[in-house]
Amino acid sequence: TGFGRIPGPPKKPIVGNMLTVDTETPLQSLMQLARELGPIFRLDMMGTPMVVVSGASLVEEICDETRFDKAVRGSLRRVRSAAGDGLFTAYTQEDNWTKAHNILLPTFAQRAMAGYLPLMQDIASQLCMKWERLNVDDDIDVVHDMTALALDTIGVCGFDYRFNSFYRRDYHPFIDALTRTLETCMVQRGLPFEKMILRKRLEQLKSDVAFMSKLVDDIVRERRRGGGDQAQKDLLNFMLAGVDKTTGESLSDENIRYQIITFLIAGHETTSGLMSFTLYFLLNNPDVLEKSYEEVDRVLGNDIGVMPTISQVSHLTYVQQVLNESLRLWPTAPAIGLYPYNDEILGNQYKVKKNTFTTLLTLMLHRDPSIWGTEPERFNPDNFTREAEASRPAHAFKPWGNGQRACIGRQFAMQEATLVIGMILQRFQLFDHQKYQLRIKETMSIKPDGFRMRVKPRPGRT
Ligand code: HEM
C-alpha cells in the first residue's frame, strides 16, 4: 500500500474511508479511530491518502519544521476565498506570509498586550452588565454570549469597530456573512457534482465575501484618509504603519483586508469555545471552582468598581492553569494539517510519502497516557503547575499549533480569557440548573453544544 505498517480501518470501493468519518462529527470519528487503531493510522479519502498522528513521540517528529510544513488544503484552502493570503490561510512559501508575520509579530507580543487591556475590559464589562441584570430564572446561552464577547473584542482591538453584539438579539450582519462563509467552506468535500448541488450556497458565498470586503475596505480607506482614531493603538494602525525590516515593504490594502478578516475567523470561535468549555469545567469540578474563587478574591478583591490591572491578570495563575487544562481536554483548534517535504519514515517504521496530508490530532495527543498518566480524561489543573509544565516534553501540548505557523494571537486570547473568567468569578455565583451533559458541536472549531447556565450576583460586591 506504500504505507509501511500504518494501520487503517477497512475501505469501501471508490469512496475508500469517506464514510468511516461522520460528516457532522468528523473529529469525534477521528478520536474514536485513534482509540481503536493507536497513535498513527491512515485513511483513504476517495483515493487521497491521509495520515492521522496523535501519539506524543510521533507528534514530536512531525513537529520538526525541517521535515514537515503546514498544509493549506481542503476546507482551509477554501477559506482563502475570504481570507486570501492572510496569515492563517497563506502558504508558508508565499512572500506575504513572511512579510505579514514580521510586521505583526510585535503587535501580538506580550509587551503589546497592555494596550489592548482597556478595550478588553470595556467589552467584558458589557457582558457583566448584561448578566447583572438577569433574573434568577433567566438562562444564559453560554456559547452565544462568549462568541459575542470574543467578536466584539477583536472588533475594537483589531480596527476600532463596534459590532455591539450585546445590544442586539442577533449577530451583526458581518458575522452572519462570516459564519455562512465558513460553513460553505466546511461542507464542500471536493465531490463530483458538488458545484451544482451547492450552487445557491456558492452564490451566497460570493455576495457574502463582497459584503465583508467592502465593510473592511471602507474602514481601511477612511483610516488612510486621516479619519477614524489615528491615535488608537489597534491592529489596523499597526498594519498601516508597519514596515517589514528585511524587505523595507509594508502591507498592501488588499492584504490588510485579508488580515482583518483572518483575525475575526481565527480568533473568535476558538477564544469563545475556550471560555465556554472553561465555564463548563468549573461547574463540573466544585473543588476547582472553589480554588478559583479563592484566587480571584485574593488577587482582584471584591471592589468591582475598579477594573483588573495587567499585573492582577497575570497573577491569576490558577485561573490560567484551569484555562490550559480546558485547552488540553477540548483544544478549540482540535487538529492541524501538515505535510512532509520528502518521503519520511516515522517512528523508524511508518512510511509517509512526500506531500501526504498528515493530521496532527491534538485532541488525542492531549490524552496520550504516556504523557498525561493513567487518567488522561480527568480534569486536573495541576497538569499546568510550573513544575509539571517544565517536566513535560516540548511537543506534548499543542493547542496553539506548531513552530513559525503557531498561533500569533495566543497572548491575546489568554489575556482576554483570564480577564473575563476572573471578572465573572469576581461577580457571580454559577448554577448548572439543567445538569448539562457535554455534547460537542463541530464547526471550524469545537464548542459545548446547548450549554446553558444561570448566575446570581455574589453578595458583598461593591
Ligand atoms: C493560528 C489556535 C486565538 C490568530 C492558530 C493555530 C492554532 C490556533 C492551533 C495554527 C493553525 C494551523 O496550524 O493551521 C488558537 C486558539 C485560540 C486562538 C486555541 C484561542 C483560544 C487567536 C486569536 C487570534 C488568532 C485571538 C487573533 C486575534 C491566529 C492567526 C494564525 C493562528 C493569524 C495564523 C498564524 C500563522 O500561520 O502565521 N491559532 N488561536 N488566534 N491564529 Fe490562533
Side-chain angles (χ1 to χ4, degrees):
T1 60
F3 279 111
R5 286 187 276 172
I6 303 181
K11 295 196 265 184
K12 293 228 159 55
I14 305 175
V15 294
N17 295 120
M18 210 70 175
L19 306 173
T20 317
V21 178
D22 191 285
T23 45
E24 294 279 303
T25 56
L27 290 153
Q28 290 162 87
S29 291
L30 295 183
M31 286 177 87
Q32 188 52 38
L33 287 166
R35 289 199 164 102
E36 289 160 14
L37 298 166
I40 182 168
F41 63 90
R42 61 171 171 75
L43 293 171
D44 169 346
M45 303 310 258
M46 294 221 351
T48 308
M50 167 170 150
V51 172
V52 180
V53 178
S54 58
S57 63
L58 296 174
V59 165
E60 190 154 334
E61 289 193 56
I62 66 174
C63 285
D64 180 345
E65 292 182 277
T66 64
R67 296 164 71 188
F68 285 79
D69 181 27
K70 164 161 169 164
V72 181
R73 298 190 197 166
S75 35
L76 189 58
R77 174 154 45 197
R78 288 190 281 272
V79 175
R80 286 177 64 102
S81 60
D85 58 2
L87 279 175
F88 180 49
T89 43
Y91 303 101
T92 310
Q93 291 71 24
E94 273 174 306
D95 290 343
N96 271 348
W97 180 77
T98 315
K99 208 204 262 187
H101 179 75
N102 290 343
I103 291 177
L104 282 165
L105 214 49
T107 69
F108 276 106
Q110 194 57 51
R111 263 175 299 116
M113 289 304 129
Y116 304 122
L117 188 69
L119 302 171
M120 290 181 176
Q121 291 167 341
D122 175 328
I123 308 294
S125 313
Q126 291 183 31
L127 172 92
C128 292
M129 268 182 331
K130 175 180 169 184
W131 287 12
E132 274 157 13
R133 282 156 184 72
L134 293 174
N135 300 302
V136 282
D137 58 351
D138 282 335
D139 278 17
I140 292 171
D141 177 341
V142 176
V143 171
H144 176 280
D145 280 7
M146 292 302 134
T147 304
L149 178 123
L151 278 170
D152 279 31
T153 302
I154 303 186
V156 285
C157 296
F159 49 112
D160 192 25
Y161 187 83
R162 289 189 178 262
F163 290 113
N164 282 331
S165 306
F166 290 111
Y167 296 91
R168 338 169 166 256
R169 200 152 61 88
D170 303 312
Y171 290 118
H172 187 288
F174 185 96
I175 302 314
D176 290 330
L178 184 65
T179 308
R180 274 195 302 269
T181 297
L182 294 177
E183 266 168 24
T184 301
C185 295
M186 298 304 288
V187 296
Q188 294 176 70
R189 314 191 88 197
L191 300 175
F193 308 117
E194 203 171 51
K195 288 234 149 55
M196 236 156 68
I197 300 163
L198 297 176
R199 196 176 51 89
K200 274 236 160 66
R201 261 186 185 271
L202 293 169
E203 276 167 15
Q204 180 74 49
L205 175 84
K206 261 198 198 142
S207 68
D208 282 339
V209 170
F211 170 74
M212 291 188 288
S213 302
K214 182 172 182 324
L215 188 142
V216 175
D217 288 353
D218 286 349
I219 294 170
V220 175
R221 201 172 320 110
E222 175 66 13
R223 197 72 72 87
R224 278 237 194 260
R225 262 190 345 108
D229 189 348
Q230 303 285 321
Q232 187 75 25
K233 279 198 170 133
D234 60 13
L235 287 162
L236 176 54
N237 275 342
F238 286 123
M239 287 193 283
L240 289 169
V243 176
D244 172 14
K245 287 206 181 75
T246 44
T247 59
E249 291 172 17
S250 48
L251 300 177
S252 70
D253 283 4
E254 183 192 54
N255 189 258
I256 289 178
R257 173 220 296 163
Y258 287 146
Q259 303 301 353
I260 288 179
I261 294 178
T262 295
F263 299 147
L264 289 163
I265 294 174
H268 91 271
E269 274 202 13
T270 45
T271 313
S272 123
L274 164 60
M275 295 182 291
S276 305
F277 279 116
T278 297
L279 289 169
Y280 161 78
F281 281 122
L282 285 171
L283 275 171
N284 281 273
N285 294 274
D287 50 325
V288 175
L289 181 60
E290 193 60 50
K291 265 185 94 168
S292 306
Y293 272 129
E294 189 272 322
E295 180 182 77
V296 165
D297 288 352
R298 180 164 40 79
V299 176
L300 302 184
N302 59 10
D303 183 357
I304 57 175
V306 287
M307 288 287 128
T309 62
I310 270 279
S311 153
Q312 284 175 317
V313 172
S314 70
H315 281 97
L316 293 174
T317 52
Y318 188 69
V319 170
Q320 284 160 20
Q321 283 175 235
V322 172
L323 290 166
N324 276 319
E325 178 67 350
S326 172
L327 280 175
R328 177 179 76 82
L329 282 171
W330 294 108
T332 48
I336 61 174
L338 301 164
Y339 71 92
Y341 290 112
N342 299 299
D343 290 354
E344 281 289 347
I345 297 180
L346 296 177
N348 287 321
Q349 55 174 326
Y350 304 115
K351 284 189 196 155
V352 180
K353 276 211 162 10
K354 173 177 175 165
N355 226 13
T356 305
F357 187 69
T358 307
T359 296
L360 190 175
L361 188 58
T362 318
L363 277 167
M364 288 308 284
L365 167 70
H366 290 175
R367 289 167 163 79
D368 183 335
S370 76
I371 303 287
W372 307 100
T374 50
E375 285 185 294
E377 304 280 347
R378 188 167 70 87
F379 187 82
N380 177 15
D382 290 346
N383 281 323
F384 291 91
T385 59
R386 236 186 234 157
E387 306 78 67
E389 284 197 281
S391 68
R392 254 195 314 270
H395 299 291
F397 183 60
K398 303 295 282 182
W400 309 102
N402 189 50
Q404 56 177 358
R405 298 305 304 265
C407 184
I408 204 169
R410 174 180 178 166
Q411 281 79 15
F412 186 97
M414 280 306 277
Q415 173 168 300
E416 177 183 354
T418 310
L419 172 76
V420 170
I421 298 295
M423 286 176 63
I424 290 174
L425 294 180
Q426 193 187 14
R427 287 165 178 74
F428 300 103
Q429 274 180 285
L430 316 178
F431 299 96
D432 178 19
H433 64 291
Q434 49 167 200
K435 301 236 178 323
Y436 173 70
Q437 295 296 311
L438 185 60
R439 282 192 314 274
I440 304 294
K441 185 175 165 76
E442 301 187 14
T443 51
M444 268 256 289
S445 65
I446 49 171
K447 329 186 165 90
D449 192 14
F451 173 33
R452 294 170 167 271
M453 67 173 195
R454 289 181 182 166
V455 298
K456 213 162 89 180
R458 292 176 67 191
R461 309 286 119 169
T462 43

